[in-house]
C-alpha cells in the first residue's frame, strides 16, 4: 500500500509518539522528538493526549505524521428501532494495513451484519487511493452500511490519483468532509485520555479555523 504521509521525522527521537514530551505547542519540536513503535495496528478506547495534539493537528504540511489515527463511532439500529453505539480508535503503521482497512478487517465484523450500521470516522488524514478502493468495495457489497468520514487533513490532495479516489468515494455514497474546530473538540472529549477525576477543556491551536477553511475549499474543488 502507499505510504500514508509524504515525509518522515529525521531527528533522533526521545520517546514514542510524543509521550512525556515538552514543548507540545511547538509542532516542529514534536516532529523532531517523535519515535514510531514497531509496525502494527493499535486499537483502544482513548488515545494519549500527545498523540492527538500532534497527529490530528490540521497543518498544511504534515511532515513527520506518517501514520493514520482513526476514531470511530458505530451505531447499530435494531429491528425495534433502538440504537446501540460503540466507539474506539485505531492507529496504523503503514506496513501491513492502514487504519481504514483494519477497521473493516477487525472492528466491523464484530457487529451483527443484519441491522443498519451508521459509521462515523474521525481520521487524522484522508484515505490513500488503495484505502479508498477498499472503502468503495465494502460500501458496494454492504448495502446496510452508511459511512461518514471526517478528516483533519487531505492526504496528497494535489495528486490526480488521490483526487479521482475521493470523487469515487462520493459517487459510492460515502460522505466526506473536513473537520471543523467543533469536531476536534468532540474527539478531545470522547476519544482522548483525561486525567483521572479531571477533564480539561479543549484548547484550539492558533490556525485551526484558517486551516479548516483551507482544506474545505480544496475538498470542494476536488469533489465538484
Amino acid at each position: 500500500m502507499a505510504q500514508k504521509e509524504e515525509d518522515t521525522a529525521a531527528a533522533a527521537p526521545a520517546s514514542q509518539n510524543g509521550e512525556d514530551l515538552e514543548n507540545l505547542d511547538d509542532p516542529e519540536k514534536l516532529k523532531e522528538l517523535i519515535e514510531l513503535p514497531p509496525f502494527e495496528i493499535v486499537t483502544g478506547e482513548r488515545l494519549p493526549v500527545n498523540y492527538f495534539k500532534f497527529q490530528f493537528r490540521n497543518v498544511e504540511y504534515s511532515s513527520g505524521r506518517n501514520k493514520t489515527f482513526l476514531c470511530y463511532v458505530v451505531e447499530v439500529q435494531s429491528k425495534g428501532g433502538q440504537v446501540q453505539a460503540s466507539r474506539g480508535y485505531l492507529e496504523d503503521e503503514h506496513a501491513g494495513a492502514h487504519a481504514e482497512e483494519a477497521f473493516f478487517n477487525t472492528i466491523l465484523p464484530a457487529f451483527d451484519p443484519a441491522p443498519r450500521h451508521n459509521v462515523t470516522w474521525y481520521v487524522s488524514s484522508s484515505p490513500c487511493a488503495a484505502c479508498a478502493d477498499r472503502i468503495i468495495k465494502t460500501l458496494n457489497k454492504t448495502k446496510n452500511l452508511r459511512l461518514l468520514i471526517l478528516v483533519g487533513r487531505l492526504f496528497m490532495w494535489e495528486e490526480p490519483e488521490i483526487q479521482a479516489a475521493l470523487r469515487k468515494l462520493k459517487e459510492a455514497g460515502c460522505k466526506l468532509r473536513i473537520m471543523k474546530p467543533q469536531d476536534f473538540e468532540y474527539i478531545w472529549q470522547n476519544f482522548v485520555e483525561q486525567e483521572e477525576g479531571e477533564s480539561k477543556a479543549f484548547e484550539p491551536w492558533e490556525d485551526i479555523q484558517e486551516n479548516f477553511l483551507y482544506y474545505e475549499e480544496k475538498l470542494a474543488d476536488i469533489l465538484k
Side-chain angles (χ1 to χ4, degrees):
M1 284 189 179
Q3 184 172 321
K4 285 294 289 186
E5 297 293 351
E6 300 93 312
D7 302 310
T8 55
S15 63
Q16 293 187 356
N17 289 292
E19 289 183 286
D20 303 320
L21 299 180
E22 297 179 353
N23 301 319
L24 291 178
D25 293 329
D26 184 346
E28 290 304 312
K29 183 65 176 179
L30 266 176
K31 181 190 73 174
E32 294 174 1
L33 297 177
I34 288 292
E35 174 183 349
L36 299 178
F39 290 158
E40 61 182 340
I41 294 293
V42 179
T43 63
E45 293 183 1
R46 288 182 177 266
L47 56 103
V49 170
N50 297 345
Y51 288 30
F52 169 78
K53 288 186 174 182
F54 182 73
Q55 298 288 351
F56 273 92
R57 188 160 181 151
N58 60 346
V59 291
E60 180 179 351
Y61 300 104
S62 53
S63 178
R65 296 166 174 84
N66 55 356
K67 60 180 178 176
T68 301
F69 280 75
L70 186 158
C71 299
Y72 63 85
V73 178
V74 180
E75 296 179 326
V76 180
Q77 185 172 347
S78 65
K79 292 182 179 179
Q82 295 181 332
V83 177
Q84 293 183 332
S86 301
R87 62 166 53 97
Y89 85 92
L90 296 163
E91 61 174 284
D92 68 24
E93 287 295 356
H94 69 69
H98 290 166
E100 297 93 333
E101 184 174 2
F103 176 86
F104 293 127
N105 292 341
T106 63
I107 303 301
L108 195 60
F111 294 90
D112 182 352
R116 175 171 174 170
H117 295 68
N118 292 321
V119 177
T120 303
W121 288 355
Y122 300 86
V123 196
S124 53
S125 64
S126 59
C128 66
C131 286
D133 184 61
R134 173 62 192 275
I135 293 168
I136 292 167
K137 289 178 179 178
T138 301
L139 289 174
N140 287 338
K141 72 178 182 180
T142 314
K143 298 303 181 182
N144 60 342
L145 174 62
R146 301 292 181 269
L147 179 61
L148 166 63
I149 304 178
L150 299 94
V151 302
R153 304 182 300 275
L154 290 177
F155 167 67
M156 297 181 66
W157 61 268
E158 294 176 311
E159 297 294 327
E161 180 186 25
I162 296 296
Q163 294 182 6
L166 295 178
R167 286 191 289 268
K168 289 178 181 178
L169 278 174
K170 179 183 177 181
E171 293 169 1
C174 176
K175 295 180 179 179
L176 182 67
R177 71 173 178 83
I178 305 299
M179 282 192 230
K180 302 175 182 179
Q182 300 94 312
D183 297 314
F184 290 104
E185 183 175 12
Y186 177 83
I187 297 172
W188 174 264
Q189 293 173 345
N190 293 278
F191 294 100
V192 177
E193 291 177 353
Q194 303 290 337
E195 298 267 341
E196 186 174 353
E198 180 181 357
S199 180
K200 293 184 178 179
F202 173 64
E203 297 180 1
W205 42 91
E206 182 179 358
D207 51 1
I208 187 171
Q209 177 68 16
E210 178 183 348
N211 291 345
F212 156 66
L213 294 174
Y214 170 82
Y215 279 123
E216 185 182 48
E217 180 181 0
K218 299 303 180 186
L219 182 61
D221 288 342
I222 291 170
L223 296 182
K224 67 182 180 182

